[in-house]
Amino acid sequence: MKNNKKGASLLNYIIRQENSNDLQGIREVNIKAFENGENEARLVDLVRNSEHFIPGLSLVAEKEDGEIIGHILFSTIHLVTISGTLPTLGLAPMAVKPGYQMEGIGSELVIAGLKACKALGFKHVFVLGHPNFYPKFGFSPSKTFCIQSPFPVPDEVFMAIELQKGGLSGLQGKIVYPQAFSVVS
């Protein structure tokens, strides 16, 4: 059980793998957390129903009363290099319900998610995200590793982390996301 200060009381929640009872709660978190929340919720649904979904890498933050207040998803994406295509992971989306943001829940989801990715033997993770948030977990601009973003974005917002030291050493290429990401963008 995680305890975070929220006003005068403590917010108690756990982080765990999603289960089939969480789908509506996950959808609600994503809809409420993002300006284009319907697209983010649809992305989660599309990934969940694809070969890119990894059940152990969809995590929720759940309050004691069963309310889902946060969600993070890691799924298979690809790194295309001169030598061939390698599977890797993309972190998207990560969402916390308004009213629970800025309480450390998102950070706890990232930490737990990266730990789960590493435990499953993955060597690296990529994210398109806020350059003031993700570096505190070890993410660096992907160009540092000679990996190009699939999107025309500033270098500092497309990042990578090596879960295994040297996991990206000697690799050069470009990330390719599955079709689900194109459908909702």
Side-chain angles (χ1 to χ4, degrees):
M1 188 71 57
K2 302 285 182 187
N3 295 310
N4 280 350
K5 287 201 175 228
K6 177 119 173 109
S9 65
L10 288 177
L11 174 63
N12 293 319
Y13 64 92
I14 59 169
I15 294 178
R16 61 169 176 77
Q17 291 179 11
E18 79 165 40
N19 65 50
S20 60
N21 296 325
D22 299 328
L23 304 188
Q24 185 55 41
I26 290 169
R27 184 167 186 67
E28 182 180 321
V29 165
N30 282 285
I31 288 171
K32 290 183 175 184
F34 293 103
E35 186 175 317
N36 293 320
E38 284 289 341
N39 283 347
E40 298 296 328
R42 186 164 175 233
L43 173 62
V44 172
D45 292 341
L46 289 169
V47 170
R48 187 183 291 115
N49 293 309
S50 78
E51 69 275 11
H52 305 287
F53 181 69
I54 304 164
L57 297 181
S58 181
L59 307 176
V60 297
E62 177 188 38
K63 283 179 34 186
E64 284 181 300
D65 64 5
E67 179 185 3
I68 302 299
I69 57 173
H71 175 250
I72 192 166
L73 178 65
F74 297 83
S75 58
T76 306
I77 61 174
H78 293 94
L79 171 56
V80 178
T81 71
I82 294 171
S83 304
T85 300
L86 304 170
T88 187
L89 292 175
L91 185 174
M94 191 278 290
V96 176
K97 264 188 186 176
Y100 297 101
Q101 295 174 357
M102 307 304 289
E103 298 292 330
I105 297 165
S107 292
E108 292 288 338
L109 284 164
V110 172
I111 291 166
L114 292 174
K115 183 177 177 182
C117 293
K118 189 173 184 174
L120 289 175
F122 289 97
K123 295 180 181 179
H124 25 77
V125 176
F126 291 82
V127 66
L128 175 63
H130 201 287
N132 293 328
F133 180 72
Y134 289 100
K136 67 184 174 183
F137 307 104
F139 283 90
S140 301
S142 67
K143 76 172 196 164
T144 305
F145 302 102
C146 299
I147 309 295
Q148 296 175 35
S149 168
F151 315 110
V153 296
D155 290 339
E156 66 272 11
V157 302
F158 191 72
M159 296 168 268
I161 186 172
E162 291 180 317
L163 299 176
Q164 183 180 83
K165 188 170 175 65
L168 289 169
S169 292
L171 298 176
Q172 293 183 349
K174 185 174 185 173
I175 292 296
V176 176
Y177 279 84
Q179 184 63 29
F181 287 82
S182 299
V183 169
V184 298
S185 58

